[in-house]
Amino acid sequence: MATYSFQDVNAAISGVGGTINIGAGAGIAEGGITIEPIEDKSVMTIGADGQGMHSLVASNAAKVTLRLLKTSPANRQLQIMYNLQTGSSATHGGNTITVRDVMRGDSITLSDCAFRGRPIVTYAKEGGEMEWSFDAVRCSIILGTGLPSIV
């Protein structure tokens, strides 16, 4: 399939404070959602004699960046969730974020997610966007084949 649309992306964050839609219809800014690994999966070490070794890193940790329009109601919901979760270590770091592109069959689950901090708040000529960042201890990704998922 040669067509992509963010309208096909379903995404949510669940944790203390509820479940919030962060996919299509949530007021996502142009930059959308980015999921990136925290570190490389492989580390190569070269010895003094020129011999080499590859180390397979066990981590599947990731950083998630969510960009919302300034006017998105999800900003308020995320701020409430942030306030609830950063008041105590008992409520911090237990979120799950899911991202699905239903037309491609992509499926991403991020677990043990924590807010990295609050977004920068700007009041300017244009509304702009709010950028929320999360750390995820585990990230499981299956990129689809281009076929719509069957539910």
Side-chain angles (χ1 to χ4, degrees):
M1 179 175 298
T3 304
Y4 166 82
S5 174
F6 191 82
Q7 293 176 345
D8 298 325
V9 176
N10 298 325
I13 180 171
S14 298
V16 173
T19 298
I20 301 168
N21 173 28
I22 54 171
I28 303 298
E30 189 173 334
I33 303 167
T34 304
I35 301 160
E36 59 185 298
I38 296 291
E39 58 187 328
D40 292 336
K41 194 64 173 168
S42 180
V43 175
M44 184 174 67
T45 306
I46 302 296
D49 65 352
Q51 294 297 311
M53 167 182 74
H54 292 282
S55 296
L56 179 61
V57 177
S59 172
N60 286 318
K63 175 184 173 186
V64 180
T65 305
L66 170 63
R67 296 164 195 88
L68 295 169
L69 297 173
K70 179 82 166 181
T71 56
S72 170
N75 287 309
R76 178 180 187 281
Q77 295 169 307
L78 286 167
Q79 185 64 60
I80 291 168
M81 185 180 263
Y82 172 89
N83 292 346
L84 289 169
Q85 293 181 14
T86 58
S88 168
S89 61
T91 56
H92 184 70
N95 296 305
T96 299
I97 297 173
T98 56
V99 181
R100 310 273 188 271
D101 181 335
V102 296
M103 291 308 293
R104 254 145 295 294
D106 294 355
S107 178
I108 302 173
T109 302
L110 301 119
S111 55
D112 298 327
C113 300
F115 284 88
R116 291 177 61 99
R118 293 183 303 241
I120 296 170
V121 179
T122 303
Y123 297 95
K125 179 180 177 182
E126 296 179 5
E129 59 187 57
M130 305 283 284
E131 191 171 283
W132 294 87
S133 294
F134 306 87
D135 283 328
V137 173
R138 282 180 285 289
C139 177
S140 170
I141 297 180
I142 299 172
L143 297 180
T145 61
L147 300 174
S149 63
I150 300 172
V151 189

